[in-house]
Amino acid sequence: MTELSADTDMKQPSQPWTTQVAASLLRRTSARIGLSWIGLLVIIATFSPFLASSHPLYLVVDGQASSPLLQHMTPLDWIWLSGLPMILVIALLPLPLWKKFLSVLIGLAFTAMIAYTLASPPALVIYEQYRELEDTGKVETIIRAPIPYSAKDYLRDYADTGIESPLLTSEQRTHWMGTDENGADVASRMIHASRIALGIGFIATGIALVIGTIIGGLMGYFSGIVDIIGMRLVEIFEAIPTLFLLLSFVAFFGRSIYMMMVIIGITAWSGYARYVRAEFLKLRQQDFVQAAVACGLPLRSILFRHMLPNGLAPLLVATSFGVASAILAEATLSFLGLGLIDDPSWGQLLNQAVQSSTFNWWLAVFPGGAIFLTVFSYNLLGESLRDAVDPHTNRSKRA
Amino acid sequence: MKLLEVESLVTELGETDNWLRAVNGISLTVNAGETYCLVGESGSGKSVTALSIMGLLPADRFRHPDGRVWLHEPGGEALELLNANDEQLRSVRGRRIGMIFQEPMTSLNPVLTIGEQLDEVLRIHQPDLNAEARRERILTALEEVLISDPANRILEYPHRLSGGQRQRVMIAMALICEPALLIADEPTTALDVTVQAEILKLMRELQARYGMGMLFITHDFGVVAQIADTVGVMRHGELVESGKTFDVLSNPQHAYTRSLIAALPERLPRSPRPPASAQTLLAVDNLSVYFPIRQGLMRRVVDQFHAVDEVSLQVNAGEVLALVGESGCGKTTLGRALLRLQAATTGSIHLEGRDITHLSRAEMRPLRRRMQVVFQDPGSSLNPRLPIHTSLIEPMRVHGIGEDDNARTRRAVRFLERVEMPADSLWRYPHEFSGGQRQRLAIARALVLEPRFILCDEITSALDVSVQAGILRLLRELVDEDGIGMLFITHNMGVVDYLADRMAVMHKARLVETGRTAAVMADPQNLHTKTLLDAVPRLNESFLQTRSGRAPTEPETSCQ
C-alpha cells in the first residue's frame, strides 16, 4: 500500500537538498530582509570608490581629459571590483560546491597578484587640488561621485573643519551625515568602512570554519585518542578571551586589520569543531556511512561526500551567527580606540560620538545603526537558516 | 455491557484550508471485559482513532466533521467525548480510560522516580486518599504487574528499568485508578518477542480480573490472534472488515484482509528450491568481539564486555542462514565483525577460503565488493544528500566496474529493474521513496558490486507486512538465481520460516543452536530456542483449527 501511494509522489521533479533549503529560506520574510541588507552592503563595499571619493570621475582641465578616480584606485579596489562579478559568474556555473569554492579562491589570488603588480596609485594624495582647480575656474567639465569626499579627506582647505552636525553644515558643502572630529565626511567613511565590516566577518569566520571543520571532523570520525586530544585543545582555546588576546597583540605588534581577522579566526574555531564533531559522531553510526565503508569507498569520499554534507546544517547556522560576532568584535576594538588608525571603521566613528564634551548624535546614530542592521541581518539569516534546515519546524508549518 | 461506542467517527488533520481525512467513518463498540483489536498497516489511521477517542490530538490541528464517541457510565448515562469540555475530559482520562503507548523508553518521565509518577496519578484522581493509602495502592499495582521488590522499585528512576519493566510500570500507571476502558497503542511493538509474550499474558490476566474493556491497536496478526475477542481491519482510515476474531482470521471476507493475511511471511507461497551448493562462501571460526570497559583518569581497561563470544558458523553459496535472537544478544555486532566494520578480538573469518580477519583497510578494499550489506532502517540506509544515481555509480567507479559512467548507468538501470524499481529512480533523492522502496534501492546498491555474500540486518522489520512480502520474495529470487550466500539477521520467526535454509540462534553473545530451519522449528533442542519459538505470536493452522477465539486466560506454563 505504501509503495502504491508513493507512486503519485514520483511525478514531482527531484530537487537536491541544497535547492530545497535555499527555496525554503527565500520564502521567509526575515531571511529576505537579512539577505537584502547584506546584499546592499556588498554592493556598497564593492563600488565604494565610485560612491564616495574626492577624486572626480571625469575631469577636463585645459582641454585635457583625465580620470583621477581611476588613477587613484588602489589594488584592493580593483580586487573588490573584479572579485564580485567573478564570484557571481562562478556561482552560476554548474560545478560541485567544493570546485566553486576552490575556483573562487584561485580567482581571487590571481586577481590580487595582477592588481598589486599593475595598479600603482600615486603615493602622495592631495584631495584639495580639485576643489582649488574648480575655485580658480580652470575646470571645463567635472563629474564627481555622489558623495564628493574621500574617507580620508579631512577638508584641510576649509580652515574651519572640525566636528559638524549634518544640520549645521555651511552652504559650500553638504555632509549628509555630518563630519567627524577630523573633519572627514561621515557618510564617506561609513561607505568605505563597510568593506572592513564585511571582510572581517567573512575572513575571520572562514578561517575559524576551516580549522573547526578539519579538527572537529577528525575528532568525530576517529574518536578515541584523537577525540580526547582534540577536545582538550578545544577547551584550551575556549579558555582564551578573544578581546584580551586582541588587545595584547595590538599592544605588541601594532594595528593591522589582517592580524585581527586571523586572531578572531583562530580563537573562534572551537565552537565549529564541537558542532562538526557531534555531527560526525552521530553520522558515523548511520547506516549509509557504514554501507559506504562496506562498499570499500576511500576515506576521502566517506568524509567529504557522505558525512560532511549531512553534517553541514548546524554549521551553517552557527556560521551566520559567527559572522555577526566577528563584526561586533572589530567594532568593539575600534570603539575602545584600539582599532585601525587612519582607515575608516564603524566602531571608531561610534567612539567619537562620546569623546568630546557634547554628545554627537550623528556619530552614534549612523554607524551604530549600520552595525546594528548588519549584525541583526546575520542573526535573522541564521534564525531562518535554522528553521529551513530543521525538518521539525518545517513539518509543523505544513501539517 | 457496552462501554465505548464510536459512531461513524471522522477525523481530519490539517490547518485552516488544508485538511486530510485520517479517519473516515469508523464505528465500533467495546464491551466490558472484552478486547477490540484495531489492526492495519502504517498510515491506516489506527492511532489517530485512539487519539481522537482520548481527545489527545494536537489542538487546532484537527476537526471532527462527523461522528460521536459515547463513554457509558455504570449508572446508565453516557458522556459524549468529542464535544466534552477539557474539565470533563480530564476527569475521564486516567480515571475511566487508561492509555498505554508504544514506546516504553520515552513514555516515563526520566527525572521523576517511578513512585512519584504513580503517586501523581493517584493524587489527582483520588484526592481523598492519604499518603499511606496511596503508597499501599502503588505497591499493590506494581505487584500486580509482576514487578519484583516494589518497595525499592518505587524509589528508582526509569533508566534503571528495562524496556519490558517500563512497559509494566506504564500498565500499572494506566490501571492504578482501575479504569473501565484501557486503550493500548501498539504496547508490545518495541519489545522483544519473549517480553511481548509476558506482557500480553499479563494484560489478559488483568483484564480477566477487573473486567476492563480494551481497545488494542496493533499491526501484528499474531498478536491479534492472541488477545482479541473482536477485530477490526483498517485501511486508509476506513474499517474494511470487523467481526469475531476467529471468523475474521479463518474466513476473511474483504479482499484487503485476505491479502494482509496472505502476506504474513509464514503463509507466503513457496517455490521449489534448487539444490543447495556445497561450496562454503563464508566461514567464521571461534569469533569473539569484546569491548573494553574503561574506568578512571587513565582510561584503564578494567573489564571486557563480551558482545560476541566464540561464535562459529558458515554460509554456503545459494543458501540463506538466519541469525535470530533477542535484542542485545550480539547479532548485529557479529554481522558488523563479519564485514570487518568492527574489529574482531579473536577468531578468524574466511571469505571464499581466504583469511580476511587481519587484512588492512587497503587490502580489504578490493574484497569489499565480494561481501555487501543491507541495513535495518530504511530512513538512514541511503545518503539523503545524494541522488540514487550517485549512490549506485560511486561504488562501481571505485571498484573499476564498467568502462565509463554511461556503461555504469546502464548497469545501474539493469539492477534497478532487478529489484523492481523504475529506471527514473536514478535521478531522485531518497526522501522521495517509501520505506519499502528505499530498502529495494539499498539492495540494488549492494547488488551492483556483484557480491557473493550479502548480510541483511533486519531489513524488513520496519516495513509493513505487504511490503515485507515483496522484499522477501525478491531476496528469495536473488539467492536462488544468482547463488548468493546470505546471512539474514532477524527476530521474526515467520521470516525465518519463509526465507532461511538454516537458522542459528544466539543468546547472550553465544550461539546456542544451529540447524536446518524446519528441524529447529519443529524440535528445538536448546531451552532458549524453545522460549523464543514459544513466545512468537503466530497465526498458524493450529490456532485456527483448535481455538474458537482468543487464547485462554488461565495461567500457562511460565515462559521463563
Side-chain angles (χ1 to χ4, degrees):
Chain A
M1 285 307 110
T2 326
E3 299 201 33
L4 272 183
S5 60
D7 278 344
T8 46
D9 298 343
M10 300 265 289
K11 301 294 176 281
Q12 289 176 352
S14 301
Q15 281 180 328
W17 178 79
T18 40
T19 322
Q20 287 173 36
V21 169
S24 126
L25 189 66
L26 288 178
R27 270 201 303 275
R28 284 157 215 275
T29 323
S30 54
R32 284 191 201 154
I33 295 171
L35 277 174
S36 29
W37 173 253
I38 295 164
L40 182 71
L41 216 56
V42 168
I43 291 169
I44 289 177
T46 310
F47 297 102
S48 53
F50 298 102
L51 291 176
S53 176
S54 299
H55 308 293
L57 199 58
Y58 182 71
L59 181 70
V60 184
V61 180
D62 302 335
Q64 274 201 312
S66 64
S67 173
L69 181 65
L70 290 181
Q71 284 162 16
H72 283 86
M73 293 259 281
T74 61
L76 206 58
D77 293 331
W78 288 113
I79 294 173
W80 271 92
L81 273 178
S82 50
L84 184 69
M86 188 180 73
I87 289 172
L88 286 181
V89 167
I90 290 174
L92 290 178
L93 288 179
L95 287 175
L97 203 62
W98 66 272
K99 274 190 187 165
K100 281 184 190 175
F101 189 67
L102 209 65
S103 34
V104 165
L105 279 188
I106 293 172
L108 281 182
F110 196 63
T111 357
M113 242 159 53
I114 296 180
Y116 275 100
T117 41
L118 293 186
S120 51
L124 181 68
V125 188
I126 306 157
Y127 296 109
E128 299 87 29
Q129 57 179 333
Y130 314 106
R131 291 191 286 267
E132 280 162 10
L133 278 175
E134 253 185 313
D135 287 343
T136 51
K138 284 183 188 161
V139 174
E140 288 157 37
T141 325
I142 187 163
I143 302 175
R144 283 182 174 278
I147 296 170
Y149 306 102
S150 283
K152 296 180 197 171
D153 185 353
Y154 300 128
L155 309 176
R156 302 231 161 79
D157 48 336
Y158 305 100
D160 59 340
T161 54
I163 199 151
E164 270 177 30
S165 144
L167 306 173
L168 295 173
T169 45
S170 62
E171 302 87 54
Q172 296 170 291
R173 304 170 273 132
T174 19
H175 297 294
W176 299 106
M177 299 183 185
T179 61
D180 71 359
E181 59 186 8
N182 296 319
D185 184 73
V186 172
S188 166
R189 279 186 85 75
M190 276 186 54
I191 285 173
H192 285 267
S194 61
R195 280 188 184 179
I196 285 171
L198 281 178
I200 199 149
F202 278 115
I203 294 176
T205 316
I207 293 172
L209 208 53
V210 170
I211 301 175
T213 310
I214 291 173
I215 294 184
L218 292 176
M219 287 197 301
Y221 187 77
F222 291 106
S223 66
I225 188 78
V226 181
D227 188 29
I228 293 170
I229 295 173
M231 277 317 275
R232 297 300 85 74
L233 200 65
V234 165
E235 280 158 15
I236 290 170
F237 271 88
E238 279 186 348
I240 299 175
T242 312
L243 203 61
F244 287 96
L245 189 72
L246 278 172
L247 289 181
S248 29
F249 265 77
V250 166
F252 280 106
F253 302 105
R255 304 164 178 200
S256 151
I257 183 74
Y258 300 106
M259 194 193 69
M260 280 185 211
M261 290 174 182
V262 171
I263 289 176
I264 295 177
I266 60 176
T267 48
W269 62 266
S270 52
Y272 305 111
R274 275 176 187 278
Y275 276 118
V276 177
R277 169 180 175 270
E279 284 295 311
F280 270 42
L281 279 176
K282 195 176 77 192
L283 285 169
R284 206 163 57 114
Q285 297 303 323
Q286 293 269 303
D287 290 346
F288 65 86
V289 176
Q290 295 290 323
V293 177
C295 282
L297 301 187
L299 183 63
R300 176 173 41 85
S301 165
I302 292 169
L303 281 181
F304 293 110
R305 191 199 279 264
H306 292 276
M307 290 176 79
L308 191 57
N310 284 291
L312 218 53
L315 204 61
L316 277 176
V317 177
T319 306
S320 51
F321 292 116
V323 172
S325 69
I327 293 173
L328 269 184
E330 189 274 332
T332 312
L333 213 60
S334 301
F335 178 78
L336 293 174
L338 293 160
L340 306 169
I341 303 165
D342 204 18
D343 288 311
S345 143
W346 291 343
Q348 175 210 44
L349 288 172
L350 203 56
N351 176 27
Q352 294 177 7
V354 291
Q355 286 227 321
S356 63
S357 53
T358 52
F359 175 68
N360 306 311
W361 63 267
W362 62 99
L363 284 170
V365 169
F366 300 118
I371 293 172
F372 167 75
L373 272 180
T374 313
V375 172
F376 183 59
S377 296
Y378 277 110
N379 282 330
L380 275 184
L381 198 60
E383 287 287 350
S384 345
L385 207 53
R386 178 181 307 178
D387 290 349
V389 297
D390 187 355
H392 294 294
T393 44
N394 253 354
R395 210 171 294 146
S396 65
K397 280 253 156 65
R398 247 180 266 138
Chain B
M1 189 190 86
K2 274 183 192 172
L3 197 60
L4 180 79
E5 210 175 349
V6 178
E7 250 176 53
S8 59
L9 171 72
V10 178
T11 304
E12 291 184 350
L13 302 175
E15 265 173 317
T16 41
D17 50 346
N18 183 17
W19 294 95
L20 187 87
R21 195 163 276 213
V23 176
N24 194 2
I26 294 252
S27 299
L28 55 88
T29 309
V30 183
N31 292 326
E34 266 189 18
T35 303
Y36 189 103
C37 239
L38 268 183
V39 63
E41 296 191 291
S42 51
S44 60
K46 315 184 288 285
S47 293
V48 178
T49 307
L51 293 172
S52 304
I53 293 169
M54 286 289 275
L56 286 177
L57 287 166
D60 304 330
R61 291 285 164 82
F62 72 97
R63 62 178 185 189
H64 299 293
D66 194 14
R68 288 273 178 282
V69 177
W70 299 101
L71 181 70
H72 294 275
E73 301 285 337
E77 73 264 46
L79 176 67
E80 209 284 298
L81 292 178
L82 291 187
N83 296 315
N85 60 33
D86 282 354
E87 203 51 51
Q88 286 170 310
L89 278 178
R90 242 194 305 275
S91 71
V92 161
R93 286 179 201 150
R95 188 178 312 181
R96 297 281 299 152
I97 308 179
M99 190 154 184
I100 308 173
F101 296 94
Q102 172 171 0
E103 192 49 74
M105 293 299 164
T106 53
S107 32
L108 287 170
N109 185 344
V111 300
L112 294 179
T113 63
I114 310 247
E116 284 167 345
Q117 298 188 43
L118 286 163
D119 194 44
E120 189 182 6
V121 179
L122 270 183
R123 263 207 319 273
I124 292 164
H125 290 295
Q126 318 245 308
D128 45 327
L129 288 180
N130 61 19
E132 201 51 42
R134 286 204 303 269
R135 192 181 136 85
E136 280 307 307
R137 280 283 283 277
I138 290 168
L139 292 181
T140 330
L142 286 176
E143 259 163 36
E144 262 173 3
V145 295
L146 306 177
I147 292 231
S148 57
D149 193 13
N152 285 321
R153 283 293 185 197
I154 54 170
L155 302 175
E156 282 182 4
Y157 288 91
H159 71 266
R160 297 282 300 270
L161 306 183
S162 70
Q165 284 174 319
R166 288 186 210 192
Q167 204 60 302
R168 285 169 197 270
V169 173
M170 280 305 295
I171 295 174
M173 197 182 285
L175 297 186
I176 200 160
C177 293
E178 294 172 8
L181 174 71
L182 182 66
I183 298 180
D185 188 356
E186 308 234 13
T188 58
T189 307
L191 306 174
D192 271 326
V193 273
T194 47
V195 183
Q196 164 171 304
E198 289 164 24
I199 297 274
L200 289 179
K201 183 161 152 271
L202 174 72
M203 290 178 78
R204 280 201 308 267
E205 284 170 13
L206 290 174
Q207 186 186 25
R209 196 175 306 161
Y210 293 112
M212 282 182 303
M214 198 148 51
L215 179 62
F216 197 101
I217 291 170
T218 184
H219 66 275
D220 188 339
F221 273 100
V223 173
V224 173
Q226 294 246 322
I227 203 161
D229 296 298
T230 317
V231 63
V233 182
M234 280 190 80
R235 176 194 175 188
H236 300 334
E238 287 176 32
L239 205 58
V240 295
E241 181 167 0
S242 65
K244 287 280 163 222
T245 308
F246 179 76
D247 298 338
V248 171
L249 293 188
S250 59
N251 185 20
Q253 296 301 310
H254 195 276
Y256 178 69
T257 317
R258 274 202 293 273
S259 75
L260 272 186
I261 291 178
L264 292 174
E266 54 264 45
R267 298 176 152 251
L268 287 175
R270 287 152 211 235
S271 49
R273 309 289 318 283
S277 149
Q279 180 204 356
T280 304
L281 209 55
L282 186 87
V284 178
D285 247 353
N286 284 324
L287 187 76
S288 301
V289 181
Y290 298 160
F291 293 111
I293 300 170
R294 294 169 192 276
Q295 264 179 8
L297 193 63
M298 301 308 291
R299 318 276 298 143
R300 218 157 29 88
V301 178
V302 291
D303 201 1
Q304 306 275 355
F305 173 74
H306 296 211
V308 177
D309 211 359
E310 303 200 336
V311 168
S312 302
L313 51 82
Q314 54 174 330
V315 182
N316 292 345
E319 180 192 59
V320 181
L321 174 66
L323 186 62
V324 297
E326 293 174 40
S327 58
C329 73
K331 312 186 291 281
T332 297
T333 311
L334 174 62
R336 285 168 47 88
L338 291 187
L339 293 171
R340 294 283 323 279
L341 294 174
Q342 169 72 54
T345 314
T346 56
S348 67
I349 307 158
H350 290 264
L351 178 68
E352 295 176 305
R354 186 169 170 200
D355 188 348
I356 61 165
T357 327
H358 301 292
L359 293 186
S360 72
R361 197 186 279 262
E363 286 171 317
M364 200 57 217
R365 196 162 292 149
L367 289 175
R368 290 279 184 210
R369 62 175 291 199
R370 315 291 295 167
M371 46 205 289
Q372 277 299 305
V373 58
V374 183
F375 289 103
Q376 170 176 11
D377 179 10
S380 74
S381 56
L382 295 162
N383 188 338
R385 304 278 185 271
L386 294 181
I388 305 305
H389 182 258
T390 320
S391 288
L392 290 183
I393 299 291
E394 198 190 0
M396 286 198 261
R397 198 184 291 146
V398 168
H399 288 283
I401 301 172
E403 305 97 61
D404 54 11
D405 277 2
N406 285 334
R408 292 186 195 116
T409 308
R410 281 197 298 278
R411 239 180 97 84
V413 170
R414 219 169 62 231
F415 280 102
L416 283 181
E417 278 163 12
R418 193 78 224 273
V419 297
E420 294 154 20
M421 291 291 293
D424 67 344
S425 320
L426 276 183
W427 311 106
R428 301 181 181 280
Y429 285 82
H431 69 263
E432 295 171 60
F433 297 101
S434 68
Q437 289 173 321
R438 281 188 224 173
Q439 284 307 54
R440 283 169 191 271
L441 292 170
I443 295 171
R445 177 184 54 197
L447 287 179
V448 290
L449 293 176
E450 295 187 334
R452 301 300 305 140
F453 170 76
I454 297 187
L455 171 73
C456 295
D457 190 353
E458 307 235 17
I459 67 170
T460 59
S461 61
L463 306 177
D464 280 328
V465 273
S466 55
V467 181
Q468 166 174 285
I471 301 243
L472 291 179
R473 253 196 307 270
L474 173 70
L475 291 177
R476 188 75 268 177
E477 267 173 42
L478 290 174
V479 171
D480 288 351
E481 289 167 22
D482 302 351
I484 293 173
M486 187 179 288
L487 181 67
F488 197 95
I489 299 176
T490 183
H491 60 262
N492 187 333
M493 289 298 161
V495 172
V496 177
D497 194 21
Y498 172 75
L499 195 64
D501 299 298
R502 288 190 301 127
M503 65 187 280
V505 184
M506 268 185 100
H507 180 75
K508 291 195 174 154
R510 287 179 176 274
L511 214 55
V512 293
E513 187 162 1
T514 325
R516 302 214 62 81
T517 308
V520 175
M521 290 265 187
D523 182 24
Q525 298 301 312
N526 186 285
L527 187 65
H528 294 298
T529 317
K530 216 174 279 179
T531 314
L532 205 59
L533 287 173
D534 285 345
V536 177
R538 269 195 283 181
L539 174 58
N540 47 23
E541 298 304 327
S542 62
F543 162 78
L544 294 177
Q545 279 158 14
T546 57
R547 292 176 189 177
S548 58
R550 63 173 172 158
T553 48
E554 66 265 351
E556 295 162 18
T557 44
S558 172
C559 291
Q560 279 165 331

